[in-house]
Amino acid sequence: MILETIIIVVYTIALLLIFMYALAQLNLLFNYLSSKKNNTSCETFNLSNPAEIPFVTIQLPVYNEMYVMERLLDNIAEIDYPKNKLEIQVLDDSTDETVETTKNQIAKLKAKGLDIQHITRTNRQGFKAGALKEGLKTAKGDFIAIFDADFLPKKDWLKRTIPYFKDNNIGVVQTRWGHINRNFSVLTKIQAFALDAHFTLEQVGRNSKGHFINFNGTAGVWRKTCIIDAGNWEGDTLTEDLDLSYRAQLKNWKFKYLEDVETPAELPVAISAARSQQFRWNKGGAENFKKMLWKVLKNKNISAKTKAHGLLHLLNSTMFLNILIVAVLSIPMLYIKNEYTHLKAYFFVMSFFIISTVIFFVCYWIMYRRMYGGGIKNFMNYIGMFFVFFSIAMGFSLHNSIAVLEGHLGKKSEFVRTPKFNISTIKDGWKNNKYLKKTISINVIFEGALMLYFAFGMYSAFVVGDQGGDFGLFPFHLMLFLGFGYVFFKSLTSKI
């Protein structure tokens, strides 16, 4: 009974943590809905007055971006902002032939009167954080706009973001990501679904009540003095954006999130690219939890509610570990339930936690409805999308849990960039992307094993108990089977 007790305790704790996270999401939903009723205007720069136009530096941190570099520079060159108040820094850490092609393109843009600098380094110390810090040394702008290589800001982007810095307390203005290839595949659809929830429900829900949010690494603007005051960029975590965001807000800098300003970008179309991105984000989140936990708890200038939301925000990625624990233990729990009938009351109470799924379903539906509209057809489409999204998200839980554990345990690893594709020009040729990994990770084998494990879970539903089976967990095990099956077979066929 000792083993059974341990399984029950660990399973219960993981379920409780998921439930707490669901309640936090529900609170963010209430915040989101109330923010729509309380839109308040604020004082902004009048950019029609030359005296009020601040100097802006656009930083473009890039590393081996063969497929999108030309598109990026052509797009940035079209930004509508006074040329005498705009500087562009291409922070190029590349080690391939793109260094030369980028240099040539920059020379052509310079000849057209653009103030654009090509800044290269002899090493990648600090990775993206190191490149941003290096560029900041010579940046002429009072405000620093940052774009990753796969982002395509619209011409009026600076004119829609810079005016908010009239408020001297604002250190960052962040915009919402758009997705130019949302409908390319199932993989891009579920990535867009998850990111849309973050950029609506979470960012607005936190920001509208003064809770901590994060600069998302790109498609935002920093006040230069805010970066310096917060301690500048640091490369000791894989999510330098989350790190600097928290250090800035702990020093009382305010963040402004603009849901109505969309910055289009390209989602990873290869599962290996999505895996590397997920790994970096989830490990970086865990690293920042370790780094920021006590700083948040000890800070006397923020409320208890903001601290709670901040800690749950930093623990976002750890939810994957809880999901994996619940998933793996759910099969032994099925047998325990039917062997120890005196625990029936416990299992009845624990079934209450199905409400966590209901909360996520409601929160995501409201987000989905605001973007696509209501009606039966959209609702049915949403049910299918929700099922697919949760199945594949659970299929990523092993991969992401390994990232989380490495982050919490302090295992260091390099910043692995996400390969970019430029689908509009290379179409099916993306499979020949020279930056994609070609080897099979050992983790994929374990994902295949988990697919079979949850197939056994579905089989178990038919054979346990004396009443012809127990099908309470069958839908859960079906989603896990499909999710791990998708990740396993997609990874094999993509040769990650």
Side-chain angles (χ1 to χ4, degrees), residues 121-164:
R121 299 192 297 166
T122 55
N123 62 68
R124 289 190 72 206
Q125 185 176 353
F127 304 106
K128 181 179 176 181
L132 293 169
K133 190 173 183 178
E134 184 71 21
L136 201 65
K137 293 178 182 177
T138 56
K140 294 182 281 189
D142 298 311
F143 302 99
I144 313 295
I146 300 172
F147 298 103
D148 283 348
D150 51 338
F151 278 74
L152 300 169
K154 296 172 184 175
K155 291 183 180 182
D156 63 348
W157 194 90
L158 286 178
K159 290 185 174 180
R160 297 184 68 186
T161 54
I162 293 298
Y164 290 96

Side-chain angles (χ1 to χ4, degrees), residues 422-433:
N422 197 351
I423 294 304
S424 60
T425 59
I426 62 175
K427 297 181 180 169
D428 291 338
W430 67 266
K431 294 179 181 178
N432 298 318
N433 187 302

Side-chain angles (χ1 to χ4, degrees), residues 303-315:
S303 68
K305 193 169 184 179
T306 295
K307 289 180 182 181
H309 270 292
L311 294 182
L312 286 169
H313 183 197
L314 292 168
L315 280 171

Side-chain angles (χ1 to χ4, degrees), residues 143 165 167-173 221-224 226-227 248 253-256:
F143 302 99
F165 285 104
D167 181 346
N168 291 323
N169 295 313
I170 291 180
V172 173
V173 172
V221 192
W222 283 83
R223 188 186 298 269
K224 188 199 291 187
C226 173
I227 298 175
W253 286 98
K254 303 302 179 188
F255 281 35
K256 179 72 176 177

Side-chain angles (χ1 to χ4, degrees), residues 79 210 214 289 385 393 455:
I79 290 283
N214 58 297
F289 175 78
M385 192 69 245

Side-chain angles (χ1 to χ4, degrees), residues 27-37 199-202 204-205 208 259 366-367 370:
N27 181 249
L28 292 178
L29 174 62
F30 293 146
N31 294 349
Y32 179 84
L33 295 175
S34 66
S35 74
K36 300 304 171 185
K37 301 174 185 176
F199 280 102
T200 54
L201 178 75
E202 294 182 353
V204 176
S208 64
E259 184 187 7
I366 291 175
M367 172 273 296
R370 283 188 174 270

Side-chain angles (χ1 to χ4, degrees), residues 4 8 330-344 346-347 457 460-473 477:
E4 289 89 339
I8 290 171
S330 64
I331 295 177
M333 286 294 287
L334 183 63
Y335 285 88
I336 291 171
K337 174 185 177 183
N338 286 277
E339 184 175 347
Y340 299 97
T341 54
H342 63 283
L343 294 176
K344 186 175 289 187
Y346 163 80
F347 285 100
S460 299
F462 292 91
V463 299
V464 297
D466 302 322
Q467 307 297 322
D470 184 341
F471 295 92
L473 287 171
H477 291 151

Side-chain angles (χ1 to χ4, degrees), residues 51-198:
E52 285 200 44
I53 300 176
F55 203 115
V56 176
T57 295
I58 296 177
Q59 289 188 327
L60 308 174
V62 298
Y63 174 69
N64 295 350
E65 307 288 4
M66 173 187 292
Y67 303 99
V68 295
M69 199 65 219
E70 182 179 356
R71 182 182 72 178
L72 170 69
L73 292 177
D74 285 345
N75 185 81
I76 293 298
E78 295 298 317
I79 290 283
D80 182 16
Y81 201 78
K83 281 187 168 57
N84 64 329
K85 293 291 184 75
L86 180 65
E87 170 195 40
I88 300 169
Q89 291 184 331
V90 181
L91 309 175
D92 192 355
D93 280 357
S94 299
T95 56
D96 63 2
E97 63 269 36
T98 59
V99 176
E100 194 62 30
T101 56
T102 297
K103 179 182 176 182
N104 293 337
Q105 189 177 1
I106 287 173
K108 292 176 183 177
L109 292 175
K110 270 189 175 181
K112 294 180 179 179
L114 209 60
D115 183 358
I116 181 168
Q117 312 300 322
H118 191 201
I119 300 174
T120 59
R121 299 192 297 166
T122 55
N123 62 68
R124 289 190 72 206
Q125 185 176 353
F127 304 106
K128 181 179 176 181
L132 293 169
K133 190 173 183 178
E134 184 71 21
L136 201 65
K137 293 178 182 177
T138 56
K140 294 182 281 189
D142 298 311
F143 302 99
I144 313 295
I146 300 172
F147 298 103
D148 283 348
D150 51 338
F151 278 74
L152 300 169
K154 296 172 184 175
K155 291 183 180 182
D156 63 348
W157 194 90
L158 286 178
K159 290 185 174 180
R160 297 184 68 186
T161 54
I162 293 298
Y164 290 96
F165 285 104
K166 180 94 179 230
D167 181 346
N168 291 323
N169 295 313
I170 291 180
V172 173
V173 172
Q174 173 68 51
T175 65
R176 177 172 59 86
W177 294 5
H179 318 292
I180 60 177
N181 61 331
R182 172 192 296 274
N183 296 316
F184 182 83
S185 65
V186 171
L187 182 63
T188 57
K189 286 178 181 178
I190 61 144
Q191 290 177 86
F193 188 85
L195 288 168
D196 287 344
H198 169 68

